Amino acid sequence: MHFSYVTLFPNLISSYFEDSILKRALDKKLLTIDFYNPRDFTANKHHKVDDTQASGGAGMVLFPQPLYDTLEVIKKEHPNTYIIFPVPAGKPFRQIDAKRLAQKEYLVFVCGRYEGIDERVIETYADELFSIGDYVLTGGELPSLVMSDAISRNVDGVLGNSESLSMESFENIVLEAPCFSKPPIYENKSIPSEFLKGNHAKITSLKNKMSEMKTQYFRPDLFSRFKAKH
Ligand code: ADE
């Protein structure tokens, strides 16, 4: 899996790949990443990438030329690109999208800044638009990272056995059951006694029940979808 990031601030993204699971995935070449800075593709001598809004009003917009040229270069270098724009108006990004996109070979994330990206760029190049929630961030870098992280975990080999995907929150619509470690009693709080008895069928059934209860309590919206399916 390859991720390209079109961003004015590549350092915001690259630092996230310097530790932990995503670093290991890069080291093992399960993931590769690169960066394209639209400022390097400007046709004006001041390397300007933003301009005032045609409609008037506050805020600067990333104008088309640098982004068109950047994306044309990427498309020429890589025939299988799938181009994603993180924008507040996009459809909500979900686990099911993370799984689906993990099957692609080459994803490009185009990170907006300031008031946004000239709509003509989006119309011309977007394969999909995603939002990561109903709030507005200062740019597309964090949403791109959030999506890249969720997608990477679904790429074969990225997670070790101990970090497996099965029984995970959202895999089966419901939230994952609470997890516990050692010791069995800590500061007077004990873990469910069933967990210590070693009967795996009973443990699984208890976990499923806890998982449903947790979903009903914290995410009634998900619980209704789960109930409609089961
Ligand atoms: N860009 C700014 N805010 C965003 C959001 N909530 N989701 C995706 N992209 C964004």
Side-chain angles (χ1 to χ4, degrees), residues 166-180:
S166 68
M167 299 291 287
E168 188 164 76
S169 289
F170 305 110
E171 289 291 309
N172 310 304
I173 309 182
V174 285
L175 302 177
E176 198 173 1
C179 50
F180 300 94

Side-chain angles (χ1 to χ4, degrees), residues 55-112:
S55 58
M60 302 294 270
V61 173
L62 295 176
F63 63 81
Q65 179 275 317
L67 286 168
Y68 265 65
D69 287 9
T70 309
L71 289 164
E72 280 305 316
V73 165
I74 294 176
K75 282 172 78 107
K76 205 167 280 166
E77 287 176 0
H78 307 279
N80 293 330
T81 53
Y82 194 79
I83 304 180
I84 293 171
F85 284 70
V87 286
K91 71 177 175 200
F93 182 76
R94 296 186 190 285
Q95 182 71 6
I96 192 173
D97 300 305
K99 276 179 159 260
R100 174 172 55 85
L101 294 170
Q103 305 309 314
K104 305 265 182 214
E105 262 176 55
Y106 192 110
L107 295 178
V108 181
F109 295 93
V110 185
C111 306

Side-chain angles (χ1 to χ4, degrees), residues 85-91 112-114 129-144 147:
F85 284 70
V87 286
K91 71 177 175 200
R113 275 274 147 183
Y114 318 120
L129 310 181
F130 282 114
S131 161
I132 62 157
D134 289 341
Y135 38 80
V136 180
L137 297 162
T138 54
E141 285 78 9
L142 268 179
S144 297
M147 291 187 270

Side-chain angles (χ1 to χ4, degrees), residues 5-190:
Y5 300 94
V6 177
T7 171
L8 295 167
F9 303 104
N11 292 344
L12 289 180
I13 295 175
S14 60
S15 59
Y16 192 68
F17 287 86
E18 285 170 12
D19 271 305
S20 190
I21 293 174
L22 295 189
K23 176 181 190 308
R24 189 181 65 198
L26 286 186
D27 291 345
K28 286 199 202 164
K29 306 253 183 310
L30 296 168
L31 287 182
T32 47
I33 58 172
D34 60 11
F35 300 92
Y36 291 81
N37 192 332
R39 217 175 277 289
D40 298 334
F41 294 84
T42 46
N44 64 85
K45 66 172 184 236
H46 298 296
H47 300 292
K48 228 170 98 79
V49 289
D50 57 329
D51 209 336
T52 51
Q53 304 216 44
S55 58
M60 302 294 270
V61 173
L62 295 176
F63 63 81
Q65 179 275 317
L67 286 168
Y68 265 65
D69 287 9
T70 309
L71 289 164
E72 280 305 316
V73 165
I74 294 176
K75 282 172 78 107
K76 205 167 280 166
E77 287 176 0
H78 307 279
N80 293 330
T81 53
Y82 194 79
I83 304 180
I84 293 171
F85 284 70
V87 286
K91 71 177 175 200
F93 182 76
R94 296 186 190 285
Q95 182 71 6
I96 192 173
D97 300 305
K99 276 179 159 260
R100 174 172 55 85
L101 294 170
Q103 305 309 314
K104 305 265 182 214
E105 262 176 55
Y106 192 110
L107 295 178
V108 181
F109 295 93
V110 185
C111 306
R113 275 274 147 183
Y114 318 120
E115 203 54 38
I117 295 174
D118 188 300
E119 194 67 21
R120 290 166 292 184
V121 181
I122 299 174
E123 274 173 17
T124 309
Y125 290 103
D127 287 305
E128 245 176 300
L129 310 181
F130 282 114
S131 161
I132 62 157
D134 289 341
Y135 38 80
V136 180
L137 297 162
T138 54
E141 285 78 9
L142 268 179
S144 297
L145 267 182
V146 166
M147 291 187 270
S148 309
D149 185 296
I151 293 165
S152 301
R153 302 176 74 256
N154 289 280
V155 170
D156 280 348
V158 166
L159 293 187
N161 279 344
S162 59
E163 302 140 355
S164 110
L165 285 169
S166 68
M167 299 291 287
E168 188 164 76
S169 289
F170 305 110
E171 289 291 309
N172 310 304
I173 309 182
V174 285
L175 302 177
E176 198 173 1
C179 50
F180 300 94
S181 176
K182 290 160 191 133
I185 300 176
Y186 186 73
E187 300 254 320
N188 260 341
K189 285 184 188 293
S190 56

